[in-house]
Amino acid sequence: MLIFLFPAKSQVFKLSLLKELAFFVPAATVEGISLYFDDKIKEDYTGKIYDKSDVNSFDRFFMHEYRKSLDFAGDLCVASAVALPFLASAGAAYFSEEKEGLFTNAVMFAETMLVVRASSHAVKNLVQRKRPFLYYEKPGPSKDLKSGDAELSFFSAHSAYAFATATFATYTFWSYYPESPWRFAILGGSYSLAAATGVFRVMSGNHFATDVLTGAGVGILTGFLAPFCHKISTDDMQISFTPLGISLCKKF
């Protein structure tokens, strides 16, 4: 537990009903709509091999056929990329002087994961981009071919989850322990796992490079947004609903 022996700040994050509704309601609504349309928009796999020349030059340079071992490595990596940084963040909250820190941290993390899930699910259904392995003779995973997931490449949810957790863990740990030298290890370790997840998703033929880069961007933004909006110093921030989602207004 040496990582938590350094002085910790108390009362760093705070929950409020308005903020929780602003995160949960739009995200849950978007996810519900996406689930409703899942079976209606997915196409059956026909065995067609698509033309690589239709892919932009950047993505074509990095694309690969399906590799089962690297697919498994990517799944294992994203599990580690989500679990380990979150445990570090939860530990920071638990060992701080904030009595309800662990619960607050869990709620913020749940909001982060829900926003990532809802945004990736909705965009996948709207874009319906073919996965790289559909451009090769070697077939992809049967589960993806049967479920229609082979048509849902953009953007990478694995990368979004990994980078969201890395950002969330880094932001919360640095907020609780601003003087701890371990904060650099949390940053480096979290983002290394997230980057490895993205690389495996491309190398395994599951995603194009732009799928992963977009997922990383969405993840970083989402992982920052939840803890930032709950930080005590941003309590004067006004959050309201808009037709496009959440509106943030900061008083200076």
Side-chain angles (χ1 to χ4, degrees), residues 18-40:
L18 177 60
K19 290 179 180 179
E20 310 336 310
L21 289 175
F23 276 96
F24 276 110
V25 173
T29 301
V30 170
E31 177 62 13
I33 294 173
S34 298
L35 288 171
Y36 175 78
F37 284 103
D38 264 354
D39 295 332
K40 301 180 184 299

PDB file of all heavy atoms in Angstrom, residues 18-40:
ATOM      1  N   LEU A  18     -28.590  16.719  -9.859  1.00  0.00           N
ATOM      2  CA  LEU A  18     -28.659  17.317 -11.196  1.00  0.00           C
ATOM      3  C   LEU A  18     -27.551  16.775 -12.098  1.00  0.00           C
ATOM      4  O   LEU A  18     -27.794  16.426 -13.261  1.00  0.00           O
ATOM      5  CB  LEU A  18     -28.561  18.837 -11.095  1.00  0.00           C
ATOM      6  CG  LEU A  18     -28.560  19.597 -12.437  1.00  0.00           C
ATOM      7  CD1 LEU A  18     -29.851  19.332 -13.217  1.00  0.00           C
ATOM      8  CD2 LEU A  18     -28.366  21.092 -12.220  1.00  0.00           C
ATOM      9  N   LYS A  19     -26.352  16.702 -11.561  1.00  0.00           N
ATOM     10  CA  LYS A  19     -25.229  16.225 -12.366  1.00  0.00           C
ATOM     11  C   LYS A  19     -25.390  14.756 -12.736  1.00  0.00           C
ATOM     12  O   LYS A  19     -25.085  14.352 -13.862  1.00  0.00           O
ATOM     13  CB  LYS A  19     -23.915  16.438 -11.616  1.00  0.00           C
ATOM     14  CG  LYS A  19     -23.513  17.897 -11.490  1.00  0.00           C
ATOM     15  CD  LYS A  19     -22.209  18.054 -10.722  1.00  0.00           C
ATOM     16  CE  LYS A  19     -21.825  19.523 -10.596  1.00  0.00           C
ATOM     17  NZ  LYS A  19     -20.571  19.709  -9.825  1.00  0.00           N
ATOM     18  N   GLU A  20     -25.876  13.958 -11.781  1.00  0.00           N
ATOM     19  CA  GLU A  20     -26.032  12.522 -12.080  1.00  0.00           C
ATOM     20  C   GLU A  20     -27.116  12.316 -13.138  1.00  0.00           C
ATOM     21  O   GLU A  20     -26.971  11.481 -14.032  1.00  0.00           O
ATOM     22  CB  GLU A  20     -26.381  11.736 -10.819  1.00  0.00           C
ATOM     23  CG  GLU A  20     -25.506  11.963  -9.600  1.00  0.00           C
ATOM     24  CD  GLU A  20     -24.106  12.462  -9.877  1.00  0.00           C
ATOM     25  OE1 GLU A  20     -23.375  11.891 -10.709  1.00  0.00           O
ATOM     26  OE2 GLU A  20     -23.725  13.474  -9.257  1.00  0.00           O
ATOM     27  N   LEU A  21     -28.189  13.091 -13.051  1.00  0.00           N
ATOM     28  CA  LEU A  21     -29.241  12.992 -14.068  1.00  0.00           C
ATOM     29  C   LEU A  21     -28.724  13.445 -15.431  1.00  0.00           C
ATOM     30  O   LEU A  21     -29.075  12.871 -16.462  1.00  0.00           O
ATOM     31  CB  LEU A  21     -30.447  13.849 -13.664  1.00  0.00           C
ATOM     32  CG  LEU A  21     -31.282  13.335 -12.496  1.00  0.00           C
ATOM     33  CD1 LEU A  21     -32.363  14.355 -12.137  1.00  0.00           C
ATOM     34  CD2 LEU A  21     -31.921  11.993 -12.827  1.00  0.00           C
ATOM     35  N   ALA A  22     -27.879  14.473 -15.423  1.00  0.00           N
ATOM     36  CA  ALA A  22     -27.337  15.004 -16.682  1.00  0.00           C
ATOM     37  C   ALA A  22     -26.461  13.978 -17.388  1.00  0.00           C
ATOM     38  O   ALA A  22     -26.348  13.992 -18.620  1.00  0.00           O
ATOM     39  CB  ALA A  22     -26.541  16.273 -16.409  1.00  0.00           C
ATOM     40  N   PHE A  23     -25.840  13.088 -16.632  1.00  0.00           N
ATOM     41  CA  PHE A  23     -25.027  12.035 -17.239  1.00  0.00           C
ATOM     42  C   PHE A  23     -25.860  10.803 -17.575  1.00  0.00           C
ATOM     43  O   PHE A  23     -25.802  10.274 -18.690  1.00  0.00           O
ATOM     44  CB  PHE A  23     -23.885  11.640 -16.296  1.00  0.00           C
ATOM     45  CG  PHE A  23     -22.679  12.526 -16.406  1.00  0.00           C
ATOM     46  CD1 PHE A  23     -22.494  13.580 -15.528  1.00  0.00           C
ATOM     47  CD2 PHE A  23     -21.726  12.304 -17.390  1.00  0.00           C
ATOM     48  CE1 PHE A  23     -21.386  14.406 -15.617  1.00  0.00           C
ATOM     49  CE2 PHE A  23     -20.610  13.124 -17.493  1.00  0.00           C
ATOM     50  CZ  PHE A  23     -20.445  14.172 -16.609  1.00  0.00           C
ATOM     51  N   PHE A  24     -26.640  10.340 -16.619  1.00  0.00           N
ATOM     52  CA  PHE A  24     -27.329   9.062 -16.777  1.00  0.00           C
ATOM     53  C   PHE A  24     -28.490   9.116 -17.770  1.00  0.00           C
ATOM     54  O   PHE A  24     -28.650   8.216 -18.596  1.00  0.00           O
ATOM     55  CB  PHE A  24     -27.840   8.555 -15.419  1.00  0.00           C
ATOM     56  CG  PHE A  24     -26.806   7.821 -14.624  1.00  0.00           C
ATOM     57  CD1 PHE A  24     -26.272   8.370 -13.472  1.00  0.00           C
ATOM     58  CD2 PHE A  24     -26.355   6.572 -15.034  1.00  0.00           C
ATOM     59  CE1 PHE A  24     -25.315   7.704 -12.740  1.00  0.00           C
ATOM     60  CE2 PHE A  24     -25.395   5.885 -14.299  1.00  0.00           C
ATOM     61  CZ  PHE A  24     -24.869   6.455 -13.149  1.00  0.00           C
ATOM     62  N   VAL A  25     -29.325  10.142 -17.696  1.00  0.00           N
ATOM     63  CA  VAL A  25     -30.541  10.178 -18.511  1.00  0.00           C
ATOM     64  C   VAL A  25     -30.246  10.220 -20.018  1.00  0.00           C
ATOM     65  O   VAL A  25     -30.746   9.382 -20.772  1.00  0.00           O
ATOM     66  CB  VAL A  25     -31.447  11.359 -18.092  1.00  0.00           C
ATOM     67  CG1 VAL A  25     -32.629  11.497 -19.054  1.00  0.00           C
ATOM     68  CG2 VAL A  25     -31.966  11.139 -16.671  1.00  0.00           C
ATOM     69  N   PRO A  26     -29.424  11.171 -20.510  1.00  0.00           N
ATOM     70  CA  PRO A  26     -29.148  11.168 -21.955  1.00  0.00           C
ATOM     71  C   PRO A  26     -28.450   9.899 -22.419  1.00  0.00           C
ATOM     72  O   PRO A  26     -28.781   9.344 -23.475  1.00  0.00           O
ATOM     73  CB  PRO A  26     -28.250  12.396 -22.148  1.00  0.00           C
ATOM     74  CG  PRO A  26     -28.509  13.261 -20.965  1.00  0.00           C
ATOM     75  CD  PRO A  26     -28.783  12.325 -19.844  1.00  0.00           C
ATOM     76  N   ALA A  27     -27.472   9.428 -21.640  1.00  0.00           N
ATOM     77  CA  ALA A  27     -26.729   8.236 -22.039  1.00  0.00           C
ATOM     78  C   ALA A  27     -27.632   7.005 -22.061  1.00  0.00           C
ATOM     79  O   ALA A  27     -27.578   6.201 -23.001  1.00  0.00           O
ATOM     80  CB  ALA A  27     -25.555   8.002 -21.089  1.00  0.00           C
ATOM     81  N   ALA A  28     -28.460   6.854 -21.036  1.00  0.00           N
ATOM     82  CA  ALA A  28     -29.367   5.712 -20.991  1.00  0.00           C
ATOM     83  C   ALA A  28     -30.393   5.777 -22.119  1.00  0.00           C
ATOM     84  O   ALA A  28     -30.771   4.748 -22.698  1.00  0.00           O
ATOM     85  CB  ALA A  28     -30.076   5.662 -19.635  1.00  0.00           C
ATOM     86  N   THR A  29     -30.845   6.966 -22.456  1.00  0.00           N
ATOM     87  CA  THR A  29     -31.812   7.139 -23.545  1.00  0.00           C
ATOM     88  C   THR A  29     -31.196   6.751 -24.883  1.00  0.00           C
ATOM     89  O   THR A  29     -31.794   6.016 -25.681  1.00  0.00           O
ATOM     90  CB  THR A  29     -32.302   8.596 -23.603  1.00  0.00           C
ATOM     91  OG1 THR A  29     -32.907   8.949 -22.360  1.00  0.00           O
ATOM     92  CG2 THR A  29     -33.309   8.782 -24.732  1.00  0.00           C
ATOM     93  N   VAL A  30     -29.986   7.236 -25.138  1.00  0.00           N
ATOM     94  CA  VAL A  30     -29.290   6.911 -26.386  1.00  0.00           C
ATOM     95  C   VAL A  30     -29.035   5.413 -26.484  1.00  0.00           C
ATOM     96  O   VAL A  30     -29.218   4.803 -27.541  1.00  0.00           O
ATOM     97  CB  VAL A  30     -27.963   7.691 -26.483  1.00  0.00           C
ATOM     98  CG1 VAL A  30     -27.113   7.179 -27.647  1.00  0.00           C
ATOM     99  CG2 VAL A  30     -28.228   9.179 -26.644  1.00  0.00           C
ATOM    100  N   GLU A  31     -28.623   4.800 -25.376  1.00  0.00           N
ATOM    101  CA  GLU A  31     -28.363   3.365 -25.379  1.00  0.00           C
ATOM    102  C   GLU A  31     -29.641   2.571 -25.627  1.00  0.00           C
ATOM    103  O   GLU A  31     -29.646   1.571 -26.361  1.00  0.00           O
ATOM    104  CB  GLU A  31     -27.738   2.949 -24.041  1.00  0.00           C
ATOM    105  CG  GLU A  31     -27.495   1.459 -23.888  1.00  0.00           C
ATOM    106  CD  GLU A  31     -26.521   0.888 -24.908  1.00  0.00           C
ATOM    107  OE1 GLU A  31     -25.827   1.669 -25.594  1.00  0.00           O
ATOM    108  OE2 GLU A  31     -26.446  -0.352 -25.016  1.00  0.00           O
ATOM    109  N   GLY A  32     -30.745   3.018 -25.025  1.00  0.00           N
ATOM    110  CA  GLY A  32     -32.021   2.347 -25.245  1.00  0.00           C
ATOM    111  C   GLY A  32     -32.461   2.398 -26.704  1.00  0.00           C
ATOM    112  O   GLY A  32     -32.935   1.403 -27.261  1.00  0.00           O
ATOM    113  N   ILE A  33     -32.280   3.552 -27.332  1.00  0.00           N
ATOM    114  CA  ILE A  33     -32.629   3.709 -28.751  1.00  0.00           C
ATOM    115  C   ILE A  33     -31.746   2.802 -29.616  1.00  0.00           C
ATOM    116  O   ILE A  33     -32.218   2.157 -30.555  1.00  0.00           O
ATOM    117  CB  ILE A  33     -32.491   5.178 -29.186  1.00  0.00           C
ATOM    118  CG1 ILE A  33     -33.519   6.045 -28.455  1.00  0.00           C
ATOM    119  CG2 ILE A  33     -32.660   5.314 -30.699  1.00  0.00           C
ATOM    120  CD1 ILE A  33     -33.344   7.536 -28.685  1.00  0.00           C
ATOM    121  N   SER A  34     -30.466   2.743 -29.295  1.00  0.00           N
ATOM    122  CA  SER A  34     -29.541   1.901 -30.055  1.00  0.00           C
ATOM    123  C   SER A  34     -29.910   0.433 -29.938  1.00  0.00           C
ATOM    124  O   SER A  34     -29.869  -0.311 -30.931  1.00  0.00           O
ATOM    125  CB  SER A  34     -28.100   2.118 -29.559  1.00  0.00           C
ATOM    126  OG  SER A  34     -27.682   3.444 -29.764  1.00  0.00           O
ATOM    127  N   LEU A  35     -30.276   0.002 -28.755  1.00  0.00           N
ATOM    128  CA  LEU A  35     -30.684  -1.389 -28.549  1.00  0.00           C
ATOM    129  C   LEU A  35     -31.944  -1.716 -29.346  1.00  0.00           C
ATOM    130  O   LEU A  35     -32.072  -2.817 -29.907  1.00  0.00           O
ATOM    131  CB  LEU A  35     -30.917  -1.652 -27.059  1.00  0.00           C
ATOM    132  CG  LEU A  35     -29.671  -1.722 -26.175  1.00  0.00           C
ATOM    133  CD1 LEU A  35     -30.060  -1.761 -24.702  1.00  0.00           C
ATOM    134  CD2 LEU A  35     -28.827  -2.936 -26.528  1.00  0.00           C
ATOM    135  N   TYR A  36     -32.851  -0.769 -29.409  1.00  0.00           N
ATOM    136  CA  TYR A  36     -34.106  -0.979 -30.145  1.00  0.00           C
ATOM    137  C   TYR A  36     -33.849  -1.203 -31.625  1.00  0.00           C
ATOM    138  O   TYR A  36     -34.489  -2.043 -32.270  1.00  0.00           O
ATOM    139  CB  TYR A  36     -35.024   0.234 -29.945  1.00  0.00           C
ATOM    140  CG  TYR A  36     -36.302   0.155 -30.760  1.00  0.00           C
ATOM    141  CD1 TYR A  36     -37.357  -0.652 -30.357  1.00  0.00           C
ATOM    142  CD2 TYR A  36     -36.431   0.887 -31.945  1.00  0.00           C
ATOM    143  CE1 TYR A  36     -38.532  -0.730 -31.104  1.00  0.00           C
ATOM    144  CE2 TYR A  36     -37.584   0.818 -32.696  1.00  0.00           C
ATOM    145  CZ  TYR A  36     -38.640   0.008 -32.267  1.00  0.00           C
ATOM    146  OH  TYR A  36     -39.786  -0.077 -33.022  1.00  0.00           O
ATOM    147  N   PHE A  37     -32.889  -0.456 -32.179  1.00  0.00           N
ATOM    148  CA  PHE A  37     -32.632  -0.534 -33.619  1.00  0.00           C
ATOM    149  C   PHE A  37     -31.585  -1.588 -33.996  1.00  0.00           C
ATOM    150  O   PHE A  37     -31.304  -1.767 -35.186  1.00  0.00           O
ATOM    151  CB  PHE A  37     -32.183   0.832 -34.154  1.00  0.00           C
ATOM    152  CG  PHE A  37     -33.315   1.805 -34.309  1.00  0.00           C
ATOM    153  CD1 PHE A  37     -33.509   2.818 -33.391  1.00  0.00           C
ATOM    154  CD2 PHE A  37     -34.198   1.698 -35.379  1.00  0.00           C
ATOM    155  CE1 PHE A  37     -34.553   3.723 -33.530  1.00  0.00           C
ATOM    156  CE2 PHE A  37     -35.248   2.589 -35.531  1.00  0.00           C
ATOM    157  CZ  PHE A  37     -35.431   3.611 -34.606  1.00  0.00           C
ATOM    158  N   ASP A  38     -31.004  -2.262 -33.018  1.00  0.00           N
ATOM    159  CA  ASP A  38     -29.943  -3.229 -33.295  1.00  0.00           C
ATOM    160  C   ASP A  38     -30.311  -4.234 -34.377  1.00  0.00           C
ATOM    161  O   ASP A  38     -29.633  -4.365 -35.398  1.00  0.00           O
ATOM    162  CB  ASP A  38     -29.566  -3.984 -32.019  1.00  0.00           C
ATOM    163  CG  ASP A  38     -28.351  -3.363 -31.337  1.00  0.00           C
ATOM    164  OD1 ASP A  38     -27.755  -2.434 -31.908  1.00  0.00           O
ATOM    165  OD2 ASP A  38     -28.016  -3.799 -30.223  1.00  0.00           O
ATOM    166  N   ASP A  39     -31.382  -4.966 -34.152  1.00  0.00           N
ATOM    167  CA  ASP A  39     -31.769  -6.033 -35.088  1.00  0.00           C
ATOM    168  C   ASP A  39     -32.338  -5.486 -36.396  1.00  0.00           C
ATOM    169  O   ASP A  39     -32.371  -6.196 -37.404  1.00  0.00           O
ATOM    170  CB  ASP A  39     -32.797  -6.963 -34.428  1.00  0.00           C
ATOM    171  CG  ASP A  39     -32.193  -7.715 -33.253  1.00  0.00           C
ATOM    172  OD1 ASP A  39     -30.970  -7.943 -33.278  1.00  0.00           O
ATOM    173  OD2 ASP A  39     -32.938  -8.063 -32.318  1.00  0.00           O
ATOM    174  N   LYS A  40     -32.775  -4.246 -36.381  1.00  0.00           N
ATOM    175  CA  LYS A  40     -33.420  -3.672 -37.569  1.00  0.00           C
ATOM    176  C   LYS A  40     -32.417  -3.192 -38.611  1.00  0.00           C
ATOM    177  O   LYS A  40     -32.746  -3.113 -39.802  1.00  0.00           O
ATOM    178  CB  LYS A  40     -34.325  -2.499 -37.154  1.00  0.00           C
ATOM    179  CG  LYS A  40     -35.424  -2.901 -36.161  1.00  0.00           C
ATOM    180  CD  LYS A  40     -36.274  -1.697 -35.806  1.00  0.00           C
ATOM    181  CE  LYS A  40     -37.313  -2.053 -34.745  1.00  0.00           C
ATOM    182  NZ  LYS A  40     -38.248  -3.092 -35.191  1.00  0.00           N
TER     183      LYS A  40
END
